[in-house]
Amino acid sequence: MTGKPPTIADVARVAGVSVPTVSRVLTGNIPVAEKRRAQVLKAIEELGYRPNAAARALVSGRRSMIAILAANTSRYGYARTVEGIEEAARAAGYMVVITVVETPDPEAVNSAVDMVLSHAVAGVIVLDFDEPGHAAMTALPRSVPVVVAAASPSRSVDLPRAYLADQRAARAATEYLLSLGHRTVHHIALPSTGRRGGRTAGWAAALKAAGVDAPEPLSASWNPLDAYELAKTLAADPAVTAVLAGNDEVAVGVLRAMTEQGRRVPQDVSVIGFDDQPIASLVSPSLTTVAQDFAELGRQTFGLLNRTINGAEGRATISVPARLVVRESTAPAPRHRKR
């Protein structure tokens, strides 16, 4: 035993037929005599042969692989989006390969793009959630179908995209806090693809519409511990009564910082997260947060790509709605609370 997986030539040899005959059985494009077909199927079963995507593409003329380019695959939103893409792609008969582009540095971006294009891919989905993703999107040639999963409705590049309505959701979350009597809302922002992310833009728009001067937003990294350190400065300020966090992990850091400073949530400070991760309903107090369906974002993005691959006309932009989920971490501002 060599340990090597069986090839189509091995199947042909064991079945006593030609390689083209095996290909015809695998693709079903050309009829094969029942006796020979049975011989091929028996050989496939005996050898445990599994045709790979490249082989199927060669014999069928149809590329059956799509690629995902992303800066990360472990963070909640990224992982759930990839899950939705993979689920929809598998149902449509496609395999999925994932390439990570870690930085927007041209060398890293070009290396990731070259790796993707080295496969016989039918199309590419880019997660345009951050600078590396955006850089990869702009570096891809237009000779291959490209579709974008994003956090905003439009960027400088005109490509089909499905996006999260997080700007509208952040505005609604901020308006909700203002409706509870909070004079203003502080914000800890996450990295984004542009100068100002959709969540930050929605927060600022709500405050402007209410005639409220926006406090300077605090900029965190993706590390929740960094957000926790930033939240300590908010916790030390008694004027802070409401915080919109960039995501639920940031919100948990805010909860911890407030507790350590003796600030009660929600009696003294209201906190809203973003994404509705599983931890949101489990922490104490449970988080009021914005629920976003990342898996649906992935499914919708693949749908756009599939239509693009098949040359079908349809919507080039799809918005995936979000909703505010009110739990225990928000309450009327202290001066508005009945005594």
Side-chain angles (χ1 to χ4, degrees):
M1 295 293 291
T2 65
K4 295 182 178 180
T7 66
I8 192 171
D10 295 327
V11 173
R13 176 178 51 78
V14 172
V17 301
S18 66
V19 169
T21 297
V22 177
S23 296
R24 294 184 190 113
V25 172
L26 291 173
T27 63
N29 292 337
I30 301 175
V32 177
E34 185 57 36
K35 180 179 179 181
R36 289 189 174 183
R37 182 174 180 276
Q39 289 174 308
V40 171
L41 294 177
K42 182 180 179 182
I44 288 173
E45 183 177 356
E46 288 179 359
L47 294 172
Y49 173 71
R50 295 293 181 271
N52 61 36
R56 284 197 296 270
L58 288 172
V59 299
S60 69
R62 174 184 181 270
R63 295 189 174 190
S64 57
M65 181 184 298
I66 67 165
I68 299 173
L69 266 169
N72 189 280
T73 57
S74 60
R75 297 182 196 122
Y76 178 76
Y78 293 71
R80 291 285 288 155
T81 303
V82 169
E83 179 183 337
I85 294 170
E86 197 279 333
E87 176 188 279
R90 179 162 26 91
Y94 286 91
M95 295 181 63
V96 177
V97 293
I98 303 170
T99 299
V100 174
V101 51
E102 297 180 346
T103 75
D105 179 76
E107 184 176 351
V109 171
N110 291 332
S111 176
V113 169
D114 288 345
M115 184 174 296
V116 165
L117 297 181
S118 69
H119 298 284
V121 294
V124 182
I125 293 175
V126 181
L127 270 56
D128 184 21
F129 292 162
D130 44 37
E131 289 296 343
H134 186 69
M137 178 188 67
T138 56
L140 281 164
R142 297 300 175 258
S143 57
V144 60
V146 178
V147 171
V148 180
S152 60
S154 64
R155 291 284 295 178
S156 57
V157 178
D158 184 20
L159 287 170
R161 68 175 51 221
Y163 69 93
L164 298 166
D166 62 352
Q167 183 168 333
R168 289 198 300 269
R171 180 167 183 160
T174 305
E175 290 170 345
Y176 174 69
L177 289 169
L178 294 175
S179 75
L180 294 176
H182 297 278
R183 289 184 176 178
T184 191
V185 178
H186 289 74
H187 178 49
I188 300 180
L190 289 172
S192 69
T193 57
R195 182 178 60 85
R196 173 175 281 187
R199 300 175 190 188
T200 301
W203 160 79
L207 294 180
K208 182 178 180 180
V212 176
D213 291 333
E216 187 66 27
L218 302 178
S219 298
S221 71
W222 290 107
N223 187 341
L225 293 178
D226 291 340
Y228 161 70
E229 293 297 329
L230 289 173
K232 287 181 178 179
T233 64
L234 297 180
D237 184 354
V240 174
T241 66
V243 180
L244 176 65
N247 66 9
D248 293 331
E249 293 175 344
V250 171
V252 170
V254 175
L255 293 182
R256 177 61 182 263
M258 293 297 171
T259 299
E260 289 180 351
Q261 293 286 341
R263 307 289 304 283
R264 299 168 301 165
V265 177
Q267 293 89 340
D268 302 320
V269 183
S270 288
V271 179
I272 294 184
F274 233 96
D275 296 342
D276 198 23
Q277 299 183 32
I279 61 170
S281 62
L282 299 177
V283 296
S284 182
S286 58
L287 272 175
T288 295
T289 187
V290 174
Q292 299 202 109
D293 195 340
F294 287 98
E296 179 63 15
L297 174 69
R299 289 188 287 268
Q300 292 289 348
T301 306
F302 173 76
L304 283 173
L305 180 63
N306 200 26
R307 291 196 290 275
T308 302
I309 290 170
N310 293 304
E313 296 292 332
R315 295 170 59 191
T317 304
I318 296 175
S319 173
V320 177
R323 60 187 177 87
L324 183 66
V325 179
V326 178
R327 295 196 180 100
E328 299 171 344
S329 65
T330 49
R335 69 183 183 283
H336 282 252
R337 195 171 297 119
K338 293 181 180 179
R339 297 185 182 276

